[in-house]
Amino acid sequence: MQLKIQNFEPSLIKPIYQLDKTYYGTTVKPNWYCRYVNKAKIVLCLKNNKIVGYLIIANISKKLFCNITNLKFSGDINFNSADFLTKSHYCYLPSILILKQFRQPNLPLIMINMALKHIKNKKICAICVSNEGTSMAKRFLNFVGKVSNSQVYSN
């Protein structure tokens, strides 16, 4: 398994969309991913040069960060694209996905740590929409000593 971090480029829209469609049966359209182009970093998880997982971390406005952390949203489908910025002191982690057959212990933590090295001194938020996501967020944040379990909220 190879991990690689890079800017989210237009060429990644189709493979990331296909991965999401395979795993989630997603109903979003490919153009939904355009909000991340040149405004996000992506950690790619590759097996034989094929994308089998990813983590996206996007620069966002302070306004969106505050809305997310004040629990104004239960998902990100309706976020305004104008709130995704080229540079910012605020970041949003919209998604981490690794196909089940390629999952390994601690791989998500390694991917998150890899992303964090590229976004030093920024405030980060996420919305967990699955039990798996909430569990992973709690484990990671406890691991790095950022919050206790009681500070991770779920619907």
Side-chain angles (χ1 to χ4, degrees), residues 26 28 36-37 46 52 54-57 80 135 137:
T26 187
V28 298
Y36 301 125
V37 172
L46 305 163
V52 297
Y54 69 87
L55 174 147
I56 299 171
I57 191 141
N80 186 333
S135 175

Side-chain angles (χ1 to χ4, degrees), residues 9-75:
E9 300 170 349
S11 63
L12 292 171
I13 292 173
K14 187 175 180 180
I16 297 304
Y17 169 76
Q18 290 299 329
L19 205 62
D20 281 355
K21 190 174 178 182
T22 298
Y23 187 77
Y24 297 115
T26 187
T27 57
V28 298
K29 304 283 186 233
N31 65 349
W32 181 81
Y33 298 88
C34 291
R35 63 189 182 172
Y36 301 125
V37 172
N38 300 319
K39 297 173 182 167
K41 293 278 188 193
I42 186 166
V43 177
L44 297 171
C45 183
L46 305 163
K47 179 75 173 186
N48 300 325
N49 289 323
K50 181 182 177 198
I51 300 172
V52 297
Y54 69 87
L55 174 147
I56 299 171
I57 191 141
N59 291 303
I60 59 170
S61 69
K62 181 179 181 178
K63 175 185 159 193
L64 181 57
F65 179 86
C66 290
N67 284 335
I68 293 169
T69 57
N70 288 315
L71 306 176
K72 303 270 182 177
F73 296 101
S74 60

Side-chain angles (χ1 to χ4, degrees), residues 80-94:
N80 186 333
S81 292
D83 283 317
F84 290 84
L85 309 173
T86 306
K87 292 185 179 185
S88 177
H89 293 290
Y90 303 92
C91 288
Y92 170 60
L93 195 156

